[in-house]
Amino acid sequence: MIVDRDPRSSISGYALTVLDVLRCSRRYDYQVLNFPLTFRSPQEQILAFLNNLDTDAIIYSWYPGDDQWLYDDVMLKVRKPQFVLGGHHHIPEFTVPCHQWSAWYDTPATDRVTPLTRPVMHWPDIQYHEPRGMIKIGSFGLGLANKNFAGMIDRVNRDFQDNEVELNLHMSYTPRTFKETNEQAQICRQAVAPNVKLNLTFNYLPTSRDVARFLNGNDLNIFMYDDQPHLQVTSSALDHALSARKPIALKRSSLFSHMDEVEGIWVETSTLPEIMARGIEPLEPVYQHHSPEQLLACVEPYLDRYII
């Protein structure tokens, strides 16, 4: 798989999380390659790099932008099977013969485009355990206003008025979002109640396992993102929370549309203590539907078709 964006971005993070799941395969050996060139590089140089790769096929992690180098005229000159993994809501629209996978779970399936199940791992060292000691609440994501960290803190303040609570928020950022992340962090510091101990962290967590381990340290993880139906996005932060094997509280949002049928996890109808007390039992059907085996079943039949 070729990834050519900042690994701290949600696009690259999603692709690398998918790669973690693909590496569970017993049939194919998946490797990640960082694209060493840029969109300004001569096409001949890009083609030489792609055609000289010692692989049987190429999966591109793709996202549209002004710095994009992958186009039909490049792919037509690559002498091996090619596949495209679209980032977020962007469904690839290449016309060359290749299969394309969409990160948006509600993408309509066609002969050329398949929606992927979510990349949810089950790490042997990351397991559910009941709360011990002071209640720990957590969340993770880019430190942007539309992640509604402040609204989450307000809900924690209201639902845990009689308890000492530790609130662990990890705000990731990129150079482009650094200023907004600082602003959101200051809003959060001012919003916490006296009985809530706020721990804000910003260090880069380089692997999906690192993120899942951080979230597993909490008794409940909360995501109250703003609704953004115009984007047709499925949240990748929630993939990490599911891999953490801890209770999850959600606010209704188009970003969590793949969780719509799950009962007992919504802040509109339950308090945070009620959701936490249910443990991970409400999430068991999600673990089964979005298992590594299910994602591999979305990918490997198409590899078989073009490679074998």
Side-chain angles (χ1 to χ4, degrees):
M1 180 183 292
I2 294 180
V3 179
D4 73 330
R5 289 179 176 268
D6 187 333
R8 293 170 295 182
S9 75
S10 57
I11 302 301
S12 294
Y14 168 75
L16 295 173
T17 304
V18 170
L19 186 65
D20 281 338
V21 175
L22 294 178
R23 283 173 168 164
C24 296
S25 174
R26 297 182 179 181
R27 300 170 57 199
Y28 290 97
D29 178 22
Y30 297 89
Q31 303 174 16
V32 62
L33 295 172
N34 292 316
F35 188 66
L37 307 173
T38 73
F39 69 101
R40 294 189 178 90
S41 301
Q43 187 178 103
E44 294 76 12
Q45 194 173 358
I46 293 174
L47 288 169
F49 169 77
L50 296 175
N51 281 316
N52 289 326
L53 290 175
D54 185 20
T55 63
D56 296 307
I58 301 173
I59 300 175
Y60 303 103
S61 170
W62 178 87
Y63 186 79
D66 294 337
D67 58 349
Q68 186 54 250
W69 53 269
L70 186 64
Y71 296 99
D72 282 341
D73 58 341
V74 171
M75 297 179 72
L76 282 169
K77 299 173 184 176
V78 175
R79 299 185 299 272
K80 60 184 65 183
Q82 301 168 88
F83 306 86
V84 181
L85 173 65
H88 276 2
H89 58 297
H90 291 278
I91 302 172
E93 297 178 351
F94 298 100
T95 60
V96 299
C98 69
H99 199 78
Q100 305 160 45
W101 295 290
S102 170
W104 180 40
Y105 183 64
D106 294 327
T107 301
T110 69
D111 291 341
R112 294 175 53 82
V113 178
T114 302
L116 278 187
T117 57
R118 300 307 300 176
V120 177
M121 288 293 293
H122 193 181
W123 306 106
D125 59 328
I126 300 177
Q127 303 289 341
Y128 172 74
H129 58 78
E130 294 184 353
R132 297 189 289 261
M134 182 184 293
I135 296 170
K136 296 180 179 179
I137 310 296
S139 192
F140 164 87
L142 280 172
L144 305 177
N146 60 21
K147 306 304 183 187
N148 197 21
F149 284 105
M152 187 192 70
I153 290 177
D154 180 64
R155 185 59 184 264
V156 170
N157 291 344
R158 288 190 287 116
D159 282 9
F160 291 99
Q161 294 182 37
D162 301 324
N163 302 90
E164 294 290 323
V165 176
E166 184 176 322
L167 183 56
N168 302 310
L169 303 185
H170 190 284
M171 291 186 175
S172 57
Y173 65 90
T174 66
R176 187 177 300 176
T177 66
F178 180 76
K179 180 180 179 182
E180 186 173 355
T181 298
N182 276 335
E183 293 170 350
Q184 291 303 307
Q186 187 58 30
I187 291 172
C188 289
R189 293 186 183 100
Q190 295 171 353
V192 290
N195 64 307
V196 177
K197 178 184 177 183
L198 176 63
N199 297 316
L200 281 173
T201 52
F202 307 92
N203 57 302
Y204 173 51
L205 299 175
T207 71
S208 59
R209 194 171 193 159
D210 292 328
V211 180
R213 189 176 289 115
F214 164 78
L215 294 170
N216 179 259
N218 303 313
D219 301 313
L220 174 69
N221 292 300
I222 310 174
F223 300 88
M224 296 181 61
Y225 293 1
D226 292 345
D227 192 23
Q228 301 178 70
H230 61 288
L231 291 182
Q232 298 181 326
V233 168
T234 302
S235 169
S236 56
L238 199 56
D239 302 331
H240 302 300
L242 288 165
S243 297
R245 292 308 198 267
K246 283 300 184 72
I248 298 172
L250 300 179
K251 181 174 75 72
R252 292 283 182 183
S253 169
S254 58
L255 280 75
F256 309 135
S257 61
H258 60 306
M259 303 289 284
D260 280 347
E261 302 304 315
V262 182
E263 298 181 355
I265 64 172
W266 304 100
V267 299
E268 290 88 348
T269 54
S270 296
T271 67
L272 298 182
E274 289 171 345
I275 296 172
M276 184 171 64
R278 295 183 182 116
I280 61 172
E281 184 176 353
L283 303 174
E284 292 292 347
V286 184
Y287 298 147
Q288 295 174 23
H289 186 72
H290 296 279
S291 67
E293 293 78 13
Q294 293 295 329
L295 190 144
L296 286 166
C298 292
V299 171
E300 296 198 330
Y302 298 99
L303 299 185
D304 295 343
R305 182 184 302 177
Y306 288 94
I307 296 175
I308 297 177

